[in-house]
Amino acid sequence: MRFPPSTPAIFLKIAAALAIHWLASNVSLLAQDARLVQTPQTQEDAKRHFRKHVVPFIQAYCIDCHQNSRPTEAGVNFSPAIHTPEHAAFTDQWKRAAARVAAHDMPPEGLEQPSDEERQMFVEWQKNIKYLSSKDPGPFVIRRLTKSEYANTLADLFGVDPEIAGSLPDEVSGAGYLNSISPLQLESYLAIAEKVLQQCAPVLQTREQSLTPETSEDGSADFPVTRLFSEFPAEQRSGPPREFAQKLLRLMFRRPASEQEINVSLDVFALAQKQDLSYDESLRLMVKAALVSPQFLFITPVEPQAAEKGAEKGAETEVGQKSELEGIVPLDNHQLASRLSYFLWASMPDEHLMRLADEGRLQQTDVLATQVERMLLSPKSRALFDGFGAQWLGLDDWQERTFDRSLFPQMNTEMRQAMYDEARLLFECVVRENKSVGALIDSDFTYLNGTLAEIYGVAGPLGDSLQKVKLENSNRGGVLTMPAVLAATSFPNRTSPVNRGVWVLEQILGENVPAAPPDVPPLEAETQDASQELTMRELTELHRKDPVCANCHKLLDPIGFGLENFDAIGRWREFDATNTPINASGTLPDGTSFSGPAELKAMVLGRKNDFARNFTGKLLAYALCRSLEGYDVIVLDRIMEHVAEKEYRLQEVVKAVVSSYPFTHRRIDTEN
Amino acid sequence: MHRTKLIDRRTCLRGVGAALALPLLDVMGWQEAKANHAYKPPVRIGFMYMPHGVIMDDFWPKDSEAFLSSPPAAVESLKPVLKECLMMKGISGVPTAPFNGAPHALELSTWLTATLPDPAKRSEINIAISADQIAANYVGAFTPLPSLELATMPQNWKENQAGLNEGYYSHCSYRSPTQVVPAETNPRNVLSRLFGQTGSGSESSDRDAAPTPISPLDRDMLDLVLGGARELRQKLPVSDKRKLDEYLDSVRSVERRIAAIEQRQKEAAMEKAGLRSDQRGADSPPIEIKIPDGDKRSEYMQVMCDLNVLAFQTDMTRVSTYIGSRPNGASYPELGFSDKHHSQTHHRGDKSKMEKVAKIVQFNIEQFAHMVKKMHSLREADGTLLDNCIMMWGSGLEDGDKHTRENLPFVVAGRGGGTLNTGRFLTDVQGNQGDLLTTLLTCAGIPLDRPIGIATKQIEALKA
């Protein structure tokens, strides 16, 4: 590994204080002196270890209170968990339990306490739960295109404005939701199909003289479907257009169509002919039918395959290999092409990808890697920021955010756009120039235009378009101190050190910050007006008087205050709204201190491994369209080992994700 | 394409297809008038939601007597129709463990399911069919739309509580345990969905008006596509099949809507030509819908309520769900303050915040009152439209400050065709939200083959 953990002891200890926390990386520290119990590395080992050590621990110290009974103590119940510890439902529970045991919160005072060795064993166990999971790529159920994927696909096929899909309802990410389709939506699909055809009718015409793309008069034939029309052989304009159907469906279904599917399309043609529609109109009805077909709206496999038993002879046998790989199959080439292109482009595969899929070469690692490079360099990869990057940075609802315009009159459309684009351009730069992910945290350049330069208080480039600008001030540069992110983690009228602290911990470092207890109001929102006389720091320090709040806030707040020099829209300031000098220094629970944003950034960068893992995990989840669980954690371990050697360069991260086992395989649930 | 074949496919799909072959109005309800005895209108059932609970002192009547004589401030707006309303204390919510950290993801998602999401599959949608969809499965076959789902705010709130799928945050209608029913937020789309065009009384331009009506050619084309999809289905593994069924289901309901609209047009033409006596002469004419220009929340909510009234009045559907506001993200500038609803509900006894919450609750009930008062003003058969409705307003929390769910707040309006004994406040019915839903659905004439969610009984005290 090129990037050994350097200084992160500070953060590691805090973890225990945080009580509910991602412990995986930390426990080794607790356990560094005595490795009493050998770490299990295989599924069998893990099971044996669990039975021999963990179950007795739970039975001795936990189960009396936390068992199947009503009410369960604190909602924690180990009765089912000791039978199926690997079940995703208990992942969080194990994490919490380990954290509480590590922090000596549990078992509670007054009850029998485990020895230090036992405690350590239990805490260490938490990071080995993953070894209980069988090798499993997870399900990849046929998936409906999201609104933006659908819109982009229409644009790629017909050259229409993606706005044409604007009438579809917005959707929330999450596997279950995306797959739903309502009657209303189908009607919208039908209406949108109609609109597309009306808009494109002038170019969806066959010609007396079929044209080659070079000779097309107006350039409008440069979209795949319009080209199909313009290249339609005039001499074939009488019989059933079988060849047309075949080409059309390959385009629109993103895979070769089956004989049956071609026949359905020809039936549609015949239907139109029977209604005395012209030849071209009949062809257009075929297009319309394809536009509302499930094979277009969903990503479907080529030759829908029944699960093949033992379809894969696994090369990797050391970890959690299921004896029978029942129902696990590699994605077919076209499915992989679609998965890849909807991941990186949020749109359909282009002809290049399709050809590789036709040739059956897309499963080859080197071919896949070359394609990733090509695709990331294409302007279409902007979708990766709009879909993934923006979500990760908390900018996905940026357009709807409200700002107090009396305080921040400059937050108009242009400014918002500039702020969003600044983040996007940095992300794209890291992607295209294949920089290390660390460059997202700290960079000595950014992108400014005249409008945004005002926020930075520098003489920036004039004009509207953003240009790369070298930064002299080490407090700037990187996503932590970027106006869009700073504003997105603020309230409409002022900053929120707590939101910023949570954001850094969760989005950057991958910590799991527990929500405030249910009956605790967010202090800040509450005292907005009443406590104007208190400074933000005094106000927030109220948190730490209450022991319930203090545990988390003594970690959150200093980080948030480290960014207090930036106001609610990201401008540098020395004084806050009450004209008190800003004090951006902070001390973390372990005594480490920093004096301002630059040092805070450096501290975060010191945990580059954690950041890289968090970032990669989120990217993998985005690529798979589901959250990570069980075996995925082992997959992520492997990816991290690999990309650490490649200095966490972003293209390497993407390549590792798309060639990973769960991305290239699917589990098929068999009938029963 | 022959109609008979269509029916075959639909029958395969859901088993209610046979009903479709008959003229819709002959099937149930209205057409009984034919033989000269008084017709009995069908019972319609509607649900309207507000998140984050109420200010208890402001919401609960002091006792059963005070309910009519001096109703609590929160339901002041319902005063003219209180005799048509029922309030009941003692309805507990679904216990939330192991999701104690997800009060707001659960308040809406459990509201009509009375069921917790499956903890083992929390990152997916996996809950239970909701009460409105159970009703739609039964009475939905008799109307052009099986059900109508409306919402004031887009259902895209992104917050993950206790690892629960984000969809739980903004959805209360579930067609199946794994399938949410998205709600419509644009009144124009609702109109076009109800009537296949921009509707009565609307003078707006058609520029952004949605879909052109579906042509018979499209219908036949869809039928071919549907056939193709069914062939595809046979070759897919079971989990994929389930996804495709959602598609097939939606095609089927589009087809049914087309058929129903055609049927209605035919009837209208016959009535116009005098070929058919107007048996519903006693009824009020359909209300007019005016789509507001501005973005005032009250006007917006009222047009959604009006659409609900119109849909019930014209029997376009008999089941509706309106998410008047979703948990988190809502504010009410109209009330003179810009604070978010959620932040004010954590008032910890602070008077000024409690006042704001009380105002928000009043505001929401006012919109509900607007709807039921309109229903009360419309004549239908021997009584009013409201007489034949069951309109449930409520929230998924009692006290938004502490997230309690011991006495969920509900107001039920309408007599359910004479099945509910209204004009009362019941001080302790000792039931849960599943019991309430089970009772209301039964009153709406929906035969249930099992209790809804955590229900163990019906609440007989509500019934007439």
Side-chain angles (χ1 to χ4, degrees):
Chain A
M1 281 220 266
R2 284 264 178 106
F3 293 89
S6 42
T7 55
I10 28 160
F11 282 92
L12 300 188
K13 285 197 190 156
I14 305 155
L18 244 179
I20 299 171
H21 189 272
W22 177 32
L23 267 172
S25 59
N26 313 335
V27 281
S28 57
L29 205 80
L30 302 170
Q32 62 194 2
D33 298 327
R35 293 206 150 231
L36 294 174
V37 184
Q38 203 196 335
T39 315
Q41 290 291 340
T42 67
Q43 192 177 17
E44 266 320 298
D45 268 7
K47 276 185 185 158
R48 205 174 312 121
H49 176 88
F50 182 74
R51 277 194 305 270
K52 201 166 155 198
H53 301 284
V54 183
V55 172
F57 180 94
I58 292 168
Q59 282 168 342
Y61 303 109
C62 316
I63 202 116
D64 279 352
C65 302
H66 300 293
Q67 61 175 312
N68 258 344
S69 65
R70 272 178 180 261
T72 345
E73 195 67 37
V76 176
N77 179 357
F78 282 105
S79 308
I82 57 175
H83 295 297
T84 50
E86 74 281 15
H87 201 293
F90 305 122
T91 314
D92 270 359
Q93 187 176 325
W94 289 123
K95 281 183 197 166
R96 282 159 208 258
R100 291 213 178 260
V101 169
H104 289 249
D105 267 7
M106 282 284 149
E109 270 179 61
L111 295 182
E112 194 195 345
Q113 298 291 316
S115 69
D116 285 353
E117 287 77 17
E118 285 176 308
R119 209 178 273 278
Q120 181 192 315
M121 180 283 301
F122 185 74
V123 170
E124 181 129 354
W125 153 251
Q126 192 273 331
K127 75 171 177 183
N128 293 316
I129 293 169
K130 60 191 176 193
Y131 292 119
L132 285 173
S133 304
S134 301
K135 184 171 181 178
D136 183 352
F140 177 46
V141 176
I142 57 170
R143 183 171 78 79
R144 184 168 61 80
L145 302 183
T146 65
K147 180 177 176 178
S148 55
E149 289 172 341
Y150 170 78
N152 293 340
T153 305
L154 289 182
D156 280 355
L157 281 171
F158 297 92
V160 292
D161 184 341
E163 272 304 303
I164 204 162
S167 62
L168 284 180
D170 288 324
E171 45 209 4
V172 182
S173 52
Y177 186 81
L178 285 186
N179 277 302
S180 281
I181 185 168
S182 75
L184 171 64
Q185 257 170 329
L186 193 86
E187 286 178 58
S188 303
Y189 285 136
L190 197 59
I192 293 166
E194 178 64 37
K195 255 198 240 169
V196 168
L197 288 177
Q198 276 173 11
Q199 273 185 25
C200 298
V203 286
L204 295 182
Q205 305 268 5
T206 58
R207 319 271 170 117
E208 286 309 322
Q209 293 265 291
S210 61
L211 302 170
T212 55
E214 291 81 51
T215 59
S216 88
E217 304 130 5
D218 44 9
S220 56
D222 279 345
F223 294 94
V225 178
T226 49
R227 199 177 305 141
L228 274 187
F229 277 84
S230 62
E231 291 172 5
F232 194 91
E235 63 278 11
Q236 284 177 21
R237 282 173 41 119
S238 48
R242 176 166 286 273
E243 202 184 315
F244 176 86
Q246 194 176 357
K247 287 182 181 162
L248 176 74
L249 298 187
R250 174 180 175 276
L251 268 177
M252 301 204 45
F253 296 177
R254 302 167 288 267
R255 58 171 174 76
S258 71
E259 203 54 27
Q260 270 169 334
E261 286 165 340
I262 292 170
N263 288 337
V264 168
S265 187
L266 292 174
D267 286 349
V268 171
F269 177 83
L271 171 75
Q273 291 278 285
K274 222 164 62 189
Q275 305 275 329
D276 295 328
L277 295 189
S278 73
Y279 200 85
D280 280 359
E281 282 168 332
S282 305
L283 292 181
R284 287 203 287 270
L285 192 67
M286 291 167 74
V287 176
K288 191 173 187 180
L291 277 170
V292 296
S293 294
Q295 296 96 326
F296 174 69
L297 299 171
F298 292 75
I299 300 172
T300 56
V302 180
E303 266 304 304
Q305 44 203 324
E308 294 165 40
K309 284 210 170 190
E312 183 194 72
K313 293 277 169 275
E316 308 163 74
T317 49
E318 74 277 37
V319 171
Q321 185 77 307
K322 249 188 180 178
S323 52
E324 283 176 43
L325 282 168
E326 193 176 337
I328 291 176
V329 294
L331 295 192
D332 70 61
N333 264 270
H334 291 89
Q335 223 176 355
L336 186 57
S338 283
R339 194 173 211 183
L340 187 61
S341 87
Y342 282 105
F343 169 38
L344 298 179
W345 285 349
S347 188
M348 58 185 282
D350 63 358
E351 192 50 38
H352 194 125
L353 274 177
M354 285 295 282
R355 226 175 16 243
L356 288 170
D358 290 347
E359 292 163 8
R361 294 171 53 202
L362 213 49
Q363 289 277 9
Q364 297 166 17
T365 316
D366 56 330
V367 174
L368 205 51
T370 314
Q371 287 310 303
V372 166
E373 284 169 24
R374 179 181 73 88
M375 293 174 75
L376 288 178
L377 290 177
S378 152
K380 287 194 210 172
S381 69
R382 182 200 160 118
L384 190 60
F385 179 81
D386 290 334
F388 168 74
Q391 199 179 327
W392 165 57
L393 293 175
L395 301 180
D396 43 348
D397 61 348
W398 180 245
Q399 297 308 334
E400 292 116 58
R401 274 197 176 262
T402 50
F403 292 91
D404 188 330
R405 290 296 291 270
S406 61
L407 290 172
F408 306 115
Q410 59 275 77
M411 289 306 286
N412 53 21
T413 318
E414 293 75 37
M415 182 64 87
R416 283 169 186 245
Q417 193 58 49
M419 286 183 173
Y420 182 88
D421 286 342
E422 183 197 16
R424 176 173 64 81
L425 289 168
L426 175 66
F427 185 88
E428 288 180 353
C429 168
V430 176
V431 169
R432 298 210 172 124
E433 296 180 17
N434 198 13
K435 291 177 184 291
S436 165
V437 293
L440 292 166
I441 301 296
D442 196 14
S443 63
D444 60 356
F445 63 90
T446 192
Y447 297 84
L448 299 178
N449 63 5
T451 316
L452 192 55
E454 281 173 35
I455 298 286
Y456 275 77
V458 298
L462 300 173
D464 291 340
S465 72
L466 280 85
Q467 292 166 30
K468 193 164 174 174
V469 174
K470 179 116 176 99
L471 289 168
E472 306 298 341
N473 180 350
S474 60
N475 283 321
R476 291 285 190 181
V479 293
L480 291 187
T481 57
M482 207 168 248
V485 170
L486 292 164
T489 50
S490 295
F491 290 115
N493 56 350
R494 57 174 184 79
T495 61
S496 165
V498 173
N499 281 358
R500 286 178 179 175
V502 170
W503 187 83
V504 171
L505 285 175
E506 288 192 333
Q507 298 307 113
I508 301 296
L509 296 173
E511 311 276 1
N512 180 358
V513 182
D519 54 348
V520 178
L523 175 71
E524 302 183 309
E526 295 308 301
T527 39
Q528 231 157 341
D529 316 309
S531 324
Q532 278 303 354
E533 35 330 319
L534 295 178
T535 66
M536 181 64 63
R537 185 175 275 268
E538 287 166 338
L539 193 61
T540 308
E541 275 170 358
L542 290 176
H543 284 136
R544 302 196 229 171
K545 294 211 175 106
D546 184 341
V548 179
C549 312
N551 251 356
C552 297
H553 282 281
K554 63 188 176 193
L555 175 59
L556 292 179
D557 298 352
I559 295 178
F561 280 118
L563 296 167
E564 264 296 273
N565 278 121
F566 299 106
D567 74 2
I569 58 170
R571 287 178 302 190
W572 183 265
R573 57 180 184 173
E574 303 285 345
F575 297 90
D576 71 7
T578 62
N579 228 6
T580 319
I582 300 274
N583 172 5
S585 65
T587 305
L588 295 173
D590 72 330
T592 327
S593 59
F594 52 87
S595 66
E599 285 185 31
L600 178 66
K601 261 194 314 196
M603 257 174 39
V604 169
L605 211 54
R607 288 185 65 188
K608 192 171 179 177
N609 293 334
D610 290 338
F611 166 60
R613 185 182 173 96
N614 179 41
F615 180 89
T616 309
K618 284 183 192 297
L619 190 67
L620 179 62
Y622 177 75
L624 299 177
C625 303
R626 61 178 172 79
S627 52
L628 304 185
E629 49 197 35
Y631 186 77
D632 300 331
V633 180
I634 297 178
V635 170
L636 187 57
D637 289 348
R638 294 249 170 90
I639 293 179
M640 292 325 290
E641 277 168 31
H642 175 73
V643 296
E645 287 168 13
K646 310 266 184 186
E647 302 169 35
Y648 300 126
R649 289 189 181 277
L650 213 131
Q651 293 183 8
E652 300 301 328
V653 172
V654 176
K655 283 179 204 167
V657 164
V658 302
S659 50
S660 71
Y661 182 68
F663 192 84
T664 52
H665 290 73
R666 65 185 297 221
R667 185 185 73 222
I668 294 170
D669 293 331
T670 39
E671 311 261 354
N672 55 35
Chain B
M1 196 48 50
H2 297 293
R3 305 294 302 161
T4 47
K5 194 166 178 197
L6 265 177
I7 286 157
D8 284 344
R9 284 192 178 136
R10 293 179 182 127
T11 314
C12 294
L13 280 170
R14 218 209 221 158
V16 294
L20 297 165
L22 305 170
L24 280 152
L25 299 186
D26 288 339
V27 179
M28 186 186 175
W30 304 114
Q31 209 57 19
E32 288 166 23
K34 209 183 259 171
N36 263 349
H37 36 69
Y39 73 93
K40 186 167 164 43
V43 177
R44 286 79 128 199
I45 186 163
F47 305 91
M48 182 169 168
Y49 189 77
M50 181 202 72
H52 301 316
V54 297
I55 299 297
M56 280 100 82
D57 291 343
D58 207 56
F59 181 81
W60 295 115
K62 280 188 194 57
D63 49 54
S64 48
E65 283 75 43
F67 174 59
L68 289 177
S69 55
S70 54
V75 299
E76 183 68 32
S77 54
L78 281 165
K79 216 166 173 183
V81 288
L82 272 187
K83 283 199 166 130
E84 317 299 321
C85 296
L86 253 175
M87 284 180 74
M88 72 301 294
K89 210 169 173 177
I91 304 281
S92 62
V94 181
T96 52
F99 297 117
N100 294 334
H104 301 300
L106 292 183
E107 61 167 299
L108 183 55
S109 54
T110 62
W111 196 57
L112 294 183
T113 54
T115 305
L116 274 194
D118 182 348
K121 295 181 181 159
R122 61 179 78 194
S123 65
E124 303 162 24
I125 294 289
N126 207 308
I127 186 161
I129 182 170
S130 54
D132 58 334
Q133 300 304 307
I134 294 173
N137 273 350
Y138 184 69
V139 295
F142 305 121
T143 53
L145 292 174
S147 58
L148 187 63
E149 290 79 23
L150 306 172
T152 306
M153 302 159 78
Q155 297 175 292
N156 56 0
W157 186 255
K158 296 189 173 77
E159 186 168 334
N160 176 316
Q161 284 193 326
L164 284 165
N165 184 291
E166 289 171 338
Y168 286 127
Y169 233 97
S170 16
H171 295 86
C172 67
S173 297
Y174 299 86
R175 195 186 306 282
S176 73
T178 56
Q179 191 188 2
V180 300
V181 186
E184 181 54 71
T185 56
N186 181 343
R188 260 181 238 295
N189 289 357
V190 178
L191 263 183
S192 97
R193 215 181 148 194
L194 288 172
F195 301 104
Q197 61 206 10
T198 36
S200 58
S202 156
E203 282 157 33
S204 66
S205 75
D206 285 7
R207 215 165 14 87
D208 55 343
T212 40
I214 298 159
S215 70
L217 179 63
D218 280 341
R219 186 182 55 202
D220 291 343
M221 179 271 283
L222 271 181
D223 201 37
L224 289 169
V225 171
L226 188 66
R230 285 176 52 75
E231 279 168 5
L232 173 72
R233 186 186 184 280
Q234 288 164 6
K235 300 179 191 164
L236 289 174
V238 64
S239 47
D240 288 350
K241 275 190 177 123
R242 240 180 281 139
K243 283 298 158 205
L244 200 60
D245 285 345
E246 293 166 9
Y247 172 88
L248 297 174
D249 197 37
S250 73
V251 176
R252 186 197 57 79
S253 74
V254 172
E255 287 186 325
R256 196 177 62 195
R257 193 173 78 84
I258 299 168
I261 286 173
E262 282 177 357
Q263 177 67 29
R264 300 214 167 209
Q265 283 165 350
K266 220 178 287 170
E267 277 163 14
M270 282 167 72
E271 257 173 45
K272 219 172 177 181
L275 293 177
R276 205 178 125 118
S277 64
D278 184 6
Q279 286 144 359
R280 292 161 57 190
D283 294 351
S284 305
I287 63 166
E288 287 210 349
I289 301 292
K290 286 234 168 14
I291 296 180
D293 295 325
D295 56 356
K296 248 174 113 183
R297 194 180 179 98
S298 57
E299 290 177 357
Y300 185 89
M301 286 181 73
Q302 279 162 23
V303 76
M304 290 307 231
C305 289
D306 286 347
L307 285 164
N308 195 341
V309 175
L310 180 64
F312 278 4
Q313 188 193 11
T314 54
D315 204 26
M316 293 302 287
T317 188
R318 295 176 189 174
V319 182
S320 78
T321 307
Y322 180 21
I323 305 175
S325 174
R326 77 172 180 222
N328 285 10
S331 55
Y332 294 77
E334 219 177 319
L335 299 178
F337 49 89
S338 60
D339 312 73
K340 295 272 191 239
H341 185 183
H342 176 244
S343 74
Q344 299 307 296
T345 55
H346 290 292
H347 49 69
R348 294 193 130 179
D350 179 304
K351 283 273 177 304
S352 80
K353 277 173 205 148
M354 291 174 72
E355 252 167 53
K356 287 177 185 168
V357 176
K359 274 191 183 170
I360 291 173
V361 174
Q362 278 172 29
F363 176 92
N364 276 276
I365 296 182
E366 271 164 34
Q367 314 316 317
F368 177 71
H370 168 89
M371 175 158 63
V372 298
K373 282 191 273 196
K374 193 158 260 181
M375 289 175 163
H376 193 54
S377 74
L378 296 173
R379 284 185 304 151
E380 184 174 277
D382 297 335
T384 71
L385 174 59
L386 187 58
D387 288 342
N388 301 308
C389 291
I390 299 175
M391 304 302 295
M392 178 178 113
W393 178 92
S395 187
L397 292 176
E398 178 189 20
D399 176 5
D401 189 20
K402 301 222 161 40
H403 297 157
T404 53
R405 298 154 65 90
E406 300 313 310
N407 289 297
L408 291 180
F410 290 105
V411 178
V412 174
R415 298 178 184 230
T419 54
L420 288 170
N421 182 0
T422 57
R424 297 181 301 151
F425 167 55
L426 305 169
T427 51
D428 187 10
V429 294
Q430 299 189 1
N432 62 47
Q433 64 188 108
D435 297 337
L436 177 65
L437 293 168
T438 305
T439 312
L440 295 183
L441 256 62
T442 308
C443 289
I446 319 288
L448 296 172
D449 57 357
R450 78 201 81 162
I452 296 173
I454 56 169
T456 56
K457 59 175 183 297
Q458 292 195 35
I459 305 174
E460 297 298 330
L462 300 180
K463 296 185 180 174

